[in-house]
Amino acid sequence: MSYESDEQNLISLNRFGSFAIMLGKVDLTKTADESTFDKTLTSLQERLGILQRAFRDQNIPTIIVIEGWNAAGITMAVHEIVQALDPRGFALHAIERASEEERARPFLWRFWLRTPPQGRIALFARSWYSRAISEEMQKHTWQKSLKGPEDQINRFERQLHDNGTVILKFFLHISKEEQKLRLEERERNPLTAWLVTPSIWNVHRHYDDSFPLINDFINKTNTDYAPWTVVEATDRKYTILKIYSTIVKNLEKVVEAAKDTKSRKSRQKEPAKSKKNPVERRSKPYNEYTREECQQTLNNLQIEMLELHYLLFKRKIPLMIAYEGWDAAGKGGNITRLTRFMNPLGYYVVPISAPTSHESQYHYLRRFIKHFPPGGDIAIFDRSWYGRVLVERVEGFCSEPEWQRAYQEINEMEEDFIYSSGGGIVKFWLEISKDEQLKRFQQRANDPLKIYKITEDDWRNRDKWDHYEEAVDEMLARTSTDVAPWTVIESDEKWYARVKAIKTVIKTAQNLL
Amino acid sequence: MSYESDEQNLISLNRFGSFAIMLGKVDLTKTADESTFDKTLTSLQERLGILQRAFRDQNIPTIIVIEGWNAAGITMAVHEIVQALDPRGFALHAIERASEEERARPFLWRFWLRTPPQGRIALFARSWYSRAISEEMQKHTWQKSLKGPEDQINRFERQLHDNGTVILKFFLHISKEEQKLRLEERERNPLTAWLVTPSIWNVHRHYDDSFPLINDFINKTNTDYAPWTVVEATDRKYTILKIYSTIVKNLEKVVEAAKDTKSRKSRQKEPAKSKKNPVERRSKPYNEYTREECQQTLNNLQIEMLELHYLLFKRKIPLMIAYEGWDAAGKGGNITRLTRFMNPLGYYVVPISAPTSHESQYHYLRRFIKHFPPGGDIAIFDRSWYGRVLVERVEGFCSEPEWQRAYQEINEMEEDFIYSSGGGIVKFWLEISKDEQLKRFQQRANDPLKIYKITEDDWRNRDKWDHYEEAVDEMLARTSTDVAPWTVIESDEKWYARVKAIKTVIKTAQNLL
């Protein structure tokens, strides 16, 4: 039996199967003795409808995860929950095998993209848990990772929670005996018999082996911010009422808590203490190379970069390069020189400006994660996720607890990217002196070909130079990690800055090969 | 030789290959005799940079397509164009084989999603042309289509042009002899030798056979709104200058024309004459069924729908259902009854409201095309693309030439969807009388559980009832086509409306099987 079929069937949710299961059910029409059940259910559905509107009005995003054993009734549970929800306010995500595009990126990438915007519900029929368990059993994706999937998952859920997302997770539990009965029942029904393959039976026989793994996984990921509810899913009516009442109870608690703004604030963590800045900012280059040496060497470095780019592509290693720096520090020109001979089909530049109204409805990291490069590609960010602790901090676009929290969130995001993709991250801070910036602003203002580059914003930012310096120093201190260190590019001399940047990228790329 | 390899190699642009080609080039560094070429190129690049900013300021989207024979130099051409462009303003699309997600949808779907927003450039390294030619040669996708790919492509380009997109297309032409020389050169270079497979040679030997097909294709798609420039691509420098000068010349013309607003207006077509309305609007049901019959039959119809849904899924046939109708006509409740037993993993509801600022930057149809269902799925639109000729017309959100043009554009879009996917479209107009609407508004206003459903907008729309009636009648008259007819649902009686809707969907689905 191949891994392929293992993965398919251990945690199976394929849409063909789910159709067959629904067709195979005979209890779609009501019987008389169901009237109490119906009344309770209707009441819960109404309350859930009201809650959905309250969450929409309060801009709270919600994630509901339905997991469980094969044949435990995930499709039926999802079908029932959907009945109570306004289609304008939720999205259903049936998690099957990852697409080619998704497989080329870190494990959680596709789930980040499926997180709900403010005021909406994302309902997951299977989730990152099934993916992680399948992959854990296959034992090939996680081998080289220092962190197990549960740590990555806990970080993911904690980050979403910290930014206001409510997360509820259900595991539909049936015993091995019950699973056997259900598989046999499916085998007897011609509509569903084909679902019960020998491989499904094989997985069933390993129920006792996988039990401790799943149990351990649930315990490790059962957190305050994203609790599990294990549902004894033997009886269909009990299962439905249990899920509904748990959802309603928890969401009502959130609505209550939200009314009391004080309690909301107290959820914010204390900001961590700032470390001393270990990264020196200089705007003048050391006298390593002369101007002539730099100009002579640039062309060769560009060709070397082209060749390295090919090797990264060939070995499917992704690379991210983040450019940050003062206005007029020369980011654009530096990027142009770096990419001069690079194959345009293998890299892309992601220019970052203020988030759109659509982007603002999600966790602030999502719009960057969306542009994570697939294996072999180079993504160059012209400004980056560090905007959170620079412009957003200085201009007050986010609260202090938010930007304080961002240092850790960013470090985790970068670490997760590197560990799960095997790729690298280069981070440049382009430093120029305040005098040099003034000179360049004036040059731009006087050159009709460059005047478009200078705006009122640039002058305004310049007035806040000291505030930005404080933010930059703290950023360099708190996010220069072993796996993703900052490189300060002394940029008063552009010829030097360009050579240093490309050399740094080359060195990082060589270390990845 | 399989079709698979045929397609890969007839029109090959794979990124591995493009890296090898770039690595294989020796002329990356400048030589002294290139100074005139360099000067001309620099001047053109500067002008293109200025044009890119002018287009951004004027919100004009641009599409540049680079096509050509194998080994004609597409990668090099793209690489050169990229040098002049500000990365903030363009996206490069390297068109390779369609992904699984893309193959499940109509041919042009993925190109629609890659059209540029206002003020930006989309640069295509290969495009819908290579895809169409490959598929034309395979002769299996287009067989059942009544329209050839060139008609679909011309419609696509015309619709984009009519909404303001500038389209320039280049075909890099080399002779069979030149191609042979280049392939041999690549064979001699160890970096690129692996690219020249036996299959590539086989395609080369069929150069004379494919020439008339490609020639014919170019002629049929060489239009005023999207002209081809065939470039004799034997000499690299000539090729680059020719492409640059053609782009600059054409874009400068557009900028000039845009200054003269009069000439812009004259580009608008005369609105077509309105036809008489052949679709009767009624709000009261005929006496086909009694209320009791409807209530008894609904449950069985819902189960029938579940089974049909499964068959559509199994045969990978997509279905779109568009709900339009007066406010409070009962769209939401009707959709809930239709989907009561449908498998939530196989359908989705797309609620349509006003376009976001992001969506407004594209052709108005793009946000609907994005939600086209893959084979086997049912997409239910709660309001639809008909907003263009309803709310946008009545409220003046688009100009009269724009909504007049929309009838044809919508008919073409629906026809293309049906022909290229083999799927179906059901379009419901939910008709209620003005009195019935008033009654329902008042009921909503008095019910604390429903009051959220009624807003100021609803009352304002009601004041414009007569204007909407005119728009509805014209819409029904001009967009009820043989392949996608409108069905009026008499909705004063909800019990009848629900049964009629589900019966209509069942009938359509049965006809598709």
Side-chain angles (χ1 to χ4, degrees), chain A residues 17-57:
Chain A
S18 78
F19 269 99
I21 290 161
M22 289 200 65
L23 285 166
K25 284 278 165 195
V26 287
D27 58 354
L28 282 171
T29 53
K30 284 176 223 164
T31 55
D33 65 313
E34 278 196 317
S35 73
T36 321
F37 166 72
D38 275 0
K39 251 186 248 165
T40 318
L41 183 60
T42 304
S43 150
L44 285 167
Q45 286 178 332
E46 273 174 19
R47 281 162 74 190
L48 185 53
I50 294 168
L51 282 163
Q52 191 186 2
R53 291 194 290 280
F55 270 51
R56 189 195 57 198
D57 293 343

Side-chain angles (χ1 to χ4, degrees), chain B residues 233-490:
Chain B
T234 313
D235 180 72
R236 181 178 148 268
K237 289 176 209 165
Y238 171 81
T239 304
I240 294 168
L241 292 185
K242 176 78 179 174
I243 293 176
Y244 261 111
S245 60
T246 306
I247 294 175
V248 167
K249 197 179 68 195
N250 278 281
L251 299 195
E252 277 173 352
K253 254 194 269 171
V254 174
V255 171
E256 280 309 306
K259 283 181 189 158
D260 180 9
T261 47
K262 243 181 142 183
S263 74
R264 259 197 132 175
K265 268 195 182 156
S266 70
R267 273 175 51 197
Q268 305 282 17
K269 282 188 201 159
E270 274 300 293
K273 288 281 176 294
S274 175
K275 286 184 280 181
K276 214 191 158 313
N277 178 21
V279 183
E280 188 199 16
R281 279 193 294 114
R282 287 174 57 91
S283 65
K284 293 255 176 302
Y286 298 91
N287 295 325
E288 301 162 78
Y289 318 102
T290 65
R291 182 174 192 139
E292 287 66 35
E293 281 168 346
C294 281
Q295 281 162 347
Q296 281 163 14
T297 194
L298 184 62
N299 205 274
N300 290 332
L301 288 170
Q302 285 169 334
I303 293 171
E304 197 176 340
M305 191 60 232
L306 162 63
E307 288 162 359
L308 272 169
H309 188 194
Y310 172 66
L311 292 177
L312 291 175
F313 186 81
K314 204 168 160 184
R315 302 192 193 168
K316 301 244 173 271
I317 299 167
L319 181 63
M320 288 208 278
I321 305 171
Y323 274 84
E324 293 284 355
W326 298 102
D327 290 331
K331 289 188 291 296
N334 201 300
I335 292 171
T336 309
R337 291 343 180 270
L338 171 65
T339 58
R340 179 63 187 95
F341 293 144
M342 271 163 58
N343 185 329
L345 306 187
Y347 79 88
Y348 50 90
V349 178
V350 187
I352 299 297
S353 46
T356 65
S357 61
H358 177 76
E359 289 168 340
S360 316
Q361 289 177 43
Y362 294 86
H363 191 288
Y364 76 98
L365 286 175
R366 180 179 177 273
R367 67 179 179 129
F368 306 104
I369 290 171
K370 191 179 165 189
H371 292 290
F372 273 8
D377 272 14
I378 297 180
I380 301 171
F381 288 83
D382 185 351
R383 302 203 183 278
S384 72
W385 45 95
Y386 284 100
R388 188 74 164 184
V389 297
L390 296 173
V391 60
E392 292 189 36
R393 164 185 175 167
V394 173
E395 306 293 338
F397 297 150
C398 64
S399 69
E400 176 161 355
E402 282 174 332
W403 61 256
Q404 285 284 4
R405 203 168 55 217
Y407 297 112
Q408 186 190 351
E409 290 174 338
I410 287 173
N411 287 341
E412 289 172 351
M413 180 189 83
E414 293 178 354
E415 198 183 308
D416 285 346
F417 170 78
I418 288 167
Y419 286 141
S420 54
S421 75
I425 300 179
V426 177
K427 303 187 299 199
F428 288 134
W429 175 259
L430 269 60
E431 178 71 16
I432 51 172
S433 68
K434 207 172 167 184
D435 289 347
E436 177 66 23
Q437 189 189 49
L438 182 64
K439 214 175 80 193
R440 293 189 188 177
F441 278 12
Q442 287 164 342
Q443 275 170 359
R444 287 180 175 188
N446 295 326
D447 184 341
L449 272 175
K450 288 187 175 168
I451 192 163
Y452 75 93
K453 285 188 176 182
I454 182 122
T455 66
E456 279 302 306
D457 274 351
D458 294 324
W459 291 104
R460 264 198 299 274
N461 292 343
R462 184 173 161 81
D463 288 341
K464 294 183 184 164
W465 184 280
D466 293 346
H467 289 100
Y468 274 102
E469 277 209 318
E470 195 188 340
V472 171
D473 282 336
E474 188 163 1
M475 171 188 82
L476 296 176
R478 294 181 65 180
T479 59
S480 205
T481 58
D482 290 346
V483 291
W486 277 98
T487 302
V488 173
I489 304 283
E490 299 80 3

Side-chain angles (χ1 to χ4, degrees), chain A residues 205-224:
Chain A
R205 275 187 296 273
H206 286 89
Y207 181 102
D208 293 333
D209 306 329
S210 38
F211 189 92
L213 178 73
I214 290 171
N215 191 44
D216 185 49
F217 213 73
I218 287 176
N219 281 325
K220 281 183 182 160
T221 55
N222 186 28
T223 57
D224 289 346

Side-chain angles (χ1 to χ4, degrees), chain A residues 59 63 102 136 166 175 195 197 202 237 255 301 320 389 407 423 435 465:
Chain A
N59 286 331
I63 289 177
E102 292 164 345
E136 184 69 6
V166 175
S175 66
L195 278 171
T197 58
N202 191 34
K237 289 178 208 165
V255 171
L301 290 170
M320 288 208 278
V389 296
Y407 298 112
D435 288 348
W465 184 280

Side-chain angles (χ1 to χ4, degrees), chain A residues 70-256:
Chain A
N70 270 344
I74 291 177
T75 303
M76 287 307 285
V78 166
H79 180 257
E80 288 300 330
I81 298 170
V82 164
Q83 303 303 316
L85 298 176
D86 179 346
R88 285 174 195 80
F90 84 95
L92 171 61
H93 303 287
I95 301 305
E96 303 179 66
R97 291 172 67 80
S99 72
E100 208 176 314
E101 196 195 1
E102 292 164 345
R103 280 194 300 273
R105 293 192 175 72
F107 163 60
L108 286 170
W109 184 76
R110 62 181 176 134
F111 302 110
W112 266 105
L113 296 197
R114 285 171 174 80
T115 54
Q118 288 171 2
R120 295 180 68 111
I121 297 172
L123 177 60
F124 287 88
R126 300 218 178 264
S127 67
W128 41 98
Y129 287 99
S130 289
R131 303 316 308 157
I133 291 170
S134 293
E135 282 160 22
E136 184 69 6
M137 297 212 168
Q138 286 187 56
K139 280 285 179 220
H140 70 259
T141 302
W142 299 104
Q143 275 170 350
K144 62 177 171 184
S145 165
L146 299 186
K147 306 268 175 185
E150 58 273 16
D151 287 348
Q152 278 200 44
I153 286 172
N154 282 340
R155 285 172 170 200
F156 170 61
E157 293 177 348
R158 197 201 69 233
Q159 291 191 5
L160 291 172
H161 165 83
D162 282 347
N163 282 267
T165 308
V166 175
I167 305 173
L168 298 172
K169 303 180 295 195
F170 295 91
F171 188 87
L172 306 192
H173 183 59
I174 50 174
S175 66
K176 189 175 181 183
E177 292 66 37
E178 176 69 18
Q179 192 180 43
K180 182 158 181 275
L181 288 174
R182 291 191 185 189
L183 293 177
E184 283 167 353
E185 190 192 318
R186 286 188 184 176
E187 270 188 334
R188 281 193 298 273
N189 187 328
L191 275 166
T192 49
W194 59 275
L195 278 171
V196 191
T197 58
S199 157
I200 285 274
W201 278 118
N202 191 34
V203 171
H204 166 74
R205 275 187 296 273
H206 286 89
Y207 181 102
D208 293 333
D209 306 329
S210 38
F211 189 92
L213 178 73
I214 290 171
N215 191 44
D216 185 49
F217 213 73
I218 287 176
N219 281 325
K220 281 183 182 160
T221 55
N222 186 28
T223 57
D224 289 346
Y225 45 83
W228 277 107
T229 303
V230 176
V231 181
E232 291 288 342
T234 313
D235 180 72
R236 179 179 149 269
K237 289 178 208 165
Y238 170 81
T239 304
I240 294 167
L241 292 184
K242 174 82 182 172
I243 292 176
Y244 261 111
S245 60
T246 307
I247 294 175
V248 166
K249 196 181 66 196
N250 278 281
L251 299 195
E252 277 174 351
K253 254 193 268 170
V254 174
V255 171
E256 280 309 306

